[in-house]
Amino acid sequence: MALAARTHPQAELVFAEQCFSEQGHFAGSDTQRTDSFVSLANDPDIDAIWFARGGYGAARIAEAAVQRLNDVAHRKIYLGYSDAGNLLGALYRAGIGQVAHGPMPSDIGRTGGEEAVVRSLDWIVHRLAHTLEPGLVSGQKYAAFNLMTLAMMTGTKLIPDLHGHILIIEEISEYLYAFDRAMFHLCSNLAGQGLAGIRLGGVDDIPETTGHLAKVRKLLSNDGPERMQSPIWDGQKSAIMRKTGLCRSDCCLSEISIAEAAVFLD
Amino acid sequence: MALAARTHPQAELVFAEQCFSEQGHFAGSDTQRTDSFVSLANDPDIDAIWFARGGYGAARIAEAAVQRLNDVAHRKIYLGYSDAGNLLGALYRAGIGQVAHGPMPSDIGRTGGEEAVVRSLDWIVHRLAHTLEPGLVSGQKYAAFNLMTLAMMTGTKLIPDLHGHILIIEEISEYLYAFDRAMFHLCSNLAGQGLAGIRLGGVDDIPETTGHLAKVRKLLSNDGPERMQSPIWDGQKSAIMRKTGLCRSDCCLSEISIAEAAVFLD
């Protein structure tokens, strides 16, 4: 908040009380979290909802929350990633507000986090173009999600219509075999739904399963010049899987066979 | 193998060469793994396929592998769990062989692993009734999967028809919030598909995200008298989520609202 006051004095950040609640591994009960989101989204004095962190359990409340939004909520900005993607997806599906996938306040603690958070504020407050993923083409629709979040949205009432979109997939802290399995799931479920393409964003903090992965990680971290830049995880964004068979910028989904989507080094 | 020779001298265990292959995080290339499985499944000198371990990448080869199976493969036993569930599910979908969810050779290294492996052999070799999950009702159809494996099979060509089945869900080494998210996904996708019920099997080795989970785990590990017994993870089966809202034996899927499926302590 001190950082925001320094870099974006024209913006006032209000943290919802509920952010500090705890119930099990969630930040409050389903009712608390739904009510908190709905009341802020429907509040005419607030211009943007910036999700504080990933949001365990966002899937549980998204459908009900979106149904309670009013006209004020429709004119708002919503920004976050990870499990908050469930809310962002449900909002986008319902055509509500301007939704974006990008750094959250909780990112401030990581390496490069301050820069990431400032970039989010630059986008929320000034809508500065440099904050966006480079290489986006005007007129082309894009959607960005964490892989596991989106994989778990397939077949639910939360997933938006991604027809004509280039889908940017990112992930953090997932095993590569789980990433591979989720890509199989996602490609199977999105095949034939008119996606314009799939593009790999940041993939980082991969837990190791075997010695091989150290090798993969080393190669990935050497990919500096080729790595994509994005408003997401920029500080951690050492990994682009060009060596893995998955990273083919803007490739068409129908071109991705399961074999090509293999997430390992051959 | 020494254990099997001692306890089940009438059975001969043959390990496929491919089990010792490595490619990335897989045990050989897709082609190697497919060919290995198909040749053993189609081999008339072999009575049962016992998956050696979880099987990263099983989803990648299951559909193609099953299409290449012959009549011999149809009369065989198939046993495993975790990602091998992709193959078991695809086999069951195709009506091939007798498939079962249970301990694998790789379990031998864990606490209680020898007993688990011997129970699998008791089932494969002698079909002994005591090896089965207690409480199964004759005439009722059951299906058992690791949660994440099944969640990633929804919407793919691997998932079998579970109409009329009681689904037994197990998981290992998944965060509770991920378990919760996957339950949301699974309940959304299986709703209206005629499942007879969902039952929780073993859930163990849960990574911690917050201090709460230590509390949850402690409660779970005190559930000794109430815990279910099953041929799966029996040694590790200290966790049954009676305290979490999820464990309701044989409850009907339609009765499970998202709120009830919450995986946390309230």
Side-chain angles (χ1 to χ4, degrees):
Chain A
M1 208 177 272
L3 174 71
R6 195 172 73 239
T7 62
H8 298 78
Q10 61 282 80
E12 182 191 356
L13 259 63
V14 181
F15 279 85
E17 274 298 313
Q18 161 272 325
C19 291
F20 306 99
S21 300
E22 289 189 33
Q23 184 173 10
H25 46 272
F26 301 143
S29 69
D30 286 356
T31 305
Q32 280 177 302
R33 287 178 291 119
T34 308
D35 289 349
S36 173
F37 172 74
V38 170
S39 68
L40 290 168
N42 287 345
D43 185 341
D45 292 335
I46 287 174
D47 301 308
I49 303 285
W50 191 15
F51 294 105
R53 54 167 293 180
Y56 298 161
R60 304 166 55 85
I61 66 163
E63 189 186 358
V66 165
Q67 285 171 354
R68 289 170 50 192
L69 298 183
N70 65 18
D71 286 351
V72 170
H74 278 248
R75 297 188 296 272
K76 212 155 277 187
I77 290 171
Y78 302 86
L79 178 64
Y81 67 93
S82 187
D83 274 52
N86 284 292
L87 276 159
L88 296 171
L91 288 163
Y92 189 54
R93 174 184 172 120
I96 296 173
Q98 188 168 2
V99 300
H101 174 96
M104 297 182 287
S106 63
D107 283 303
I108 203 161
R110 63 168 170 82
T111 307
E114 283 209 7
E115 188 200 345
V117 165
V118 168
R119 282 215 280 152
S120 276
L121 285 165
D122 276 348
W123 188 75
I124 294 173
V125 180
H126 306 299
R127 226 61 69 80
L128 293 180
H130 80 83
T131 62
L132 298 176
E133 173 83 16
L136 301 188
V137 175
S138 180
Q140 170 64 51
K141 290 180 186 170
Y142 296 88
F145 286 95
N146 288 60
L147 172 59
M148 217 52 75
T149 302
L150 184 60
M152 290 302 176
M153 290 169 71
T154 61
T156 75
K157 291 180 178 173
L158 306 181
I159 195 165
D161 179 7
L162 297 175
H163 189 273
H165 291 64
I166 288 175
L167 175 62
I168 302 175
I169 288 294
E170 307 207 293
E171 197 49 278
I172 192 166
S173 302
E174 286 288 350
Y175 288 102
L176 282 187
Y177 77 86
F179 192 100
D180 185 79
R181 186 172 58 182
M183 279 304 293
F184 170 78
H185 175 79
L186 200 63
C187 290
S188 296
N189 277 273
L190 295 182
Q193 295 201 17
L195 215 65
I198 290 185
R199 181 167 158 174
L200 194 70
V203 179
D204 206 2
D205 195 20
I206 304 164
E208 295 195 20
T209 44
T210 71
H212 285 280
L213 296 194
K215 200 170 152 196
V216 174
R217 180 180 287 177
K218 187 167 180 301
L219 274 163
L220 295 176
S221 65
N222 286 341
D223 260 358
E226 295 176 341
R227 73 188 204 210
M228 294 162 68
Q229 294 174 356
S230 87
I232 312 110
W233 308 331
D234 52 348
Q236 299 178 49
K237 206 166 164 45
S238 62
I240 182 82
M241 298 193 149
R242 196 167 294 279
K243 301 285 195 301
T244 68
L246 221 180
C247 175
R248 304 192 303 157
S249 201
D250 295 352
C251 57
C252 180
L253 178 64
S254 61
E255 290 176 11
I256 302 183
S257 71
I258 297 307
E260 286 173 315
V263 182
F264 61 80
L265 183 72
D266 50 17
Chain B
M1 208 177 273
L3 175 70
R6 197 172 70 237
T7 61
H8 298 77
Q10 60 281 78
E12 183 190 356
L13 260 64
V14 181
F15 279 86
E17 273 298 314
Q18 160 273 327
C19 291
F20 306 99
S21 299
E22 289 189 32
Q23 183 173 13
H25 44 276
F26 301 143
S29 68
D30 287 356
T31 305
Q32 281 177 300
R33 287 178 290 118
T34 309
D35 289 349
S36 172
F37 172 73
V38 170
S39 68
L40 289 169
N42 287 345
D43 184 340
D45 291 334
I46 287 175
D47 300 308
I49 302 286
W50 192 15
F51 293 106
R53 55 167 291 178
Y56 297 161
R60 304 166 56 84
I61 66 162
E63 190 186 355
V66 166
Q67 286 171 353
R68 288 170 51 192
L69 298 184
N70 64 18
D71 286 350
V72 170
H74 279 247
R75 297 189 295 271
K76 210 156 278 189
I77 291 171
Y78 301 87
L79 178 65
Y81 68 93
S82 187
D83 274 52
N86 285 293
L87 276 160
L88 296 172
L91 287 164
Y92 189 53
R93 175 184 172 119
I96 296 173
Q98 187 169 1
V99 301
H101 175 95
M104 298 181 288
S106 63
D107 283 301
I108 203 161
R110 63 166 169 85
T111 308
E114 282 207 8
E115 188 200 344
V117 164
V118 168
R119 282 216 280 152
S120 275
L121 284 166
D122 276 346
W123 189 77
I124 294 173
V125 180
H126 305 299
R127 224 63 69 79
L128 293 181
H130 80 85
T131 62
L132 297 176
E133 173 83 14
L136 301 188
V137 175
S138 179
Q140 170 64 52
K141 291 179 186 173
Y142 296 89
F145 286 95
N146 287 62
L147 172 59
M148 216 52 76
T149 302
L150 184 60
M152 292 303 177
M153 288 168 72
T154 63
T156 74
K157 293 182 178 171
L158 306 182
I159 195 166
D161 179 6
L162 297 176
H163 189 275
H165 291 64
I166 289 176
L167 175 62
I168 302 176
I169 288 293
E170 308 207 292
E171 197 49 279
I172 192 165
S173 303
E174 286 289 348
Y175 288 101
L176 282 186
Y177 77 87
F179 192 100
D180 186 78
R181 186 172 60 182
M183 279 303 293
F184 170 78
H185 174 81
L186 201 63
C187 288
S188 296
N189 277 273
L190 295 182
Q193 295 201 17
L195 215 64
I198 291 184
R199 181 169 161 173
L200 194 69
V203 178
D204 206 2
D205 194 20
I206 304 164
E208 296 195 20
T209 45
T210 74
H212 285 279
L213 297 195
K215 203 170 149 195
V216 174
R217 181 180 288 178
K218 187 168 178 301
L219 274 163
L220 294 176
S221 65
N222 286 340
D223 261 358
E226 294 176 343
R227 75 187 203 212
M228 294 161 68
Q229 295 174 354
S230 87
I232 311 109
W233 307 332
D234 53 348
Q236 298 178 51
K237 209 167 165 43
S238 60
I240 181 86
M241 300 192 147
R242 197 168 294 278
K243 301 285 195 302
T244 67
L246 220 180
C247 175
R248 303 193 305 154
S249 199
D250 296 352
C251 58
C252 180
L253 179 64
S254 61
E255 291 174 11
I256 302 183
S257 73
I258 297 309
E260 287 173 312
V263 183
F264 61 81
L265 183 73
D266 48 20

